[in-house]
Amino acid sequence: MNPNKALWEKGDFTRIAETMRESGAELVARLGITKGLNVLDLGCGDGTTAIPEARLGANVLGVDIARNLVEAGNKRVREEGLTNCVFSEGDATDLSELKDGTFDLVVSIFGVMFAPKPLDVAKEMVRVTRPGGRIIMGNWIPGDPTLVAQILRISSAYTPPPPEGFISPMLWGVESYVIERFEGAGIANENISSFKDTFVFNAPYSPAELVSMFKNYYGPTMNAFEAAEKNGKAADLQHELEELFNRQNQSADQSKTSIPATFLRVTVSR
């Protein structure tokens, strides 16, 4: 099996996505989406941004590599009675089933950054965007002191080194790499912009419970715990993550969780 597919089908990211709904809708509200806009949401999960896009009247195709997340997204669509949104299985490195210039807007929030072959990903996003259209990405930033970058940093210390030739997904959070990749896909430098934005994880339960959610349902953290268990260090990993989540929790009620995370928001004009 494709290792990227295996990673994201391993857990149940919908459980994490439930803490991202509010920020997902708030981000979409700032994207200038209008009724009838054709939107591709890549690495869409179960629809954290795709469903809010459809609620605003866009015609949305959500594409994700994980079959379980595609099924969950289509279930949410049916439950909401949305007829302008559909989820489909696909690989961001090869969108050959989609025609050139099909979409007014291509969105990927913490999605395709995790796909291999980033140059291919950039080329495919550009190819399926119509001239005059936009691409918007949200990418976690390497070394950032906020939540997700720190989860991935801590987790990586407990896992074996990646295979030779591995390209870190976190490089999508570095402006120079973003520019290099989109220039390689034919976009002029002046049509690529980025700035730091904030996404908030909100949960109606404690930070320790949110750690458990990542431990049990988030592929990268699940892998870290499996490796730590073999080395007798699972308790150390648990302690590090709980300390991180508790320290960054901004909820006045400690039985609830509200943790902001900084990301790089990228806009590309086609």
Side-chain angles (χ1 to χ4, degrees), residues 230-244:
K230 291 176 184 174
N231 296 321
K233 294 184 176 180
D236 294 340
L237 175 55
Q238 181 89 25
H239 173 77
E240 276 200 70
L241 289 175
E242 286 189 7
E243 194 277 331
L244 170 69

Side-chain angles (χ1 to χ4, degrees), residues 244-258:
L244 170 69
F245 280 57
N246 281 309
R247 184 175 72 249
Q248 297 209 358
N249 184 25
Q250 294 189 0
S251 173
D253 180 349
Q254 292 304 298
S255 68
K256 297 180 180 178
T257 307
S258 181

Side-chain angles (χ1 to χ4, degrees), residues 27-232:
L27 175 58
V28 167
R30 303 196 300 270
L31 300 185
I33 289 174
T34 53
K35 189 172 182 179
L37 204 71
N38 291 321
V39 177
L40 172 64
D41 198 305
L42 268 178
C44 59
D46 70 341
T48 297
T49 52
I51 286 176
E53 290 155 7
R55 289 181 191 140
L56 291 174
N59 302 311
V60 183
L61 171 63
V63 172
D64 200 280
I65 200 165
R67 178 177 297 179
N68 57 328
L69 299 182
V70 167
E71 290 172 352
N74 281 322
K75 181 173 183 283
R76 290 185 67 207
V77 165
R78 289 192 300 272
E79 288 171 349
E80 290 207 24
L82 293 168
T83 58
N84 56 332
C85 184
V86 65
F87 291 79
S88 177
E89 216 177 314
D91 187 335
T93 65
D94 180 7
L95 299 170
S96 53
E97 72 280 5
L98 301 178
K99 294 179 181 178
D100 295 3
T102 304
F103 299 95
D104 303 301
L105 175 64
V106 174
V107 176
S108 186
I109 306 302
F110 322 129
V112 299
M113 68 171 287
F114 290 102
K117 303 178 184 175
L119 294 176
D120 290 353
V121 169
K123 287 175 182 176
E124 284 293 77
M125 285 194 287
V126 169
R127 182 183 66 78
V128 301
T129 305
R130 69 163 177 81
R134 293 176 297 150
I135 298 166
I136 294 175
M137 296 182 77
N139 304 321
W140 302 120
I141 301 169
D144 190 83
T146 59
L147 185 70
V148 180
Q150 291 303 305
I151 293 172
L152 296 172
R153 179 191 64 79
I154 290 168
S155 296
S156 68
Y158 290 85
T159 53
E164 189 176 348
F166 174 78
I167 301 172
S168 170
M170 300 299 282
L171 294 180
W172 272 115
V174 179
E175 188 174 22
S176 59
Y177 282 91
V178 171
I179 291 169
E180 177 184 297
R181 289 164 181 178
F182 280 113
E183 283 186 335
I187 301 295
N189 184 296
E190 60 266 25
N191 290 334
I192 308 164
S193 63
S194 60
F195 66 94
K196 288 184 178 181
D197 204 344
T198 302
F199 206 91
V200 182
F201 291 80
N202 288 312
Y205 44 78
S206 71
E209 289 175 87
L210 185 54
V211 170
S212 294
M213 287 291 179
F214 275 85
K215 177 181 179 180
N216 294 322
Y217 301 113
Y218 184 62
T221 314
M222 294 170 73
N223 285 345
F225 269 100
E226 287 174 11
E229 193 73 50
K230 291 176 184 174
N231 296 321

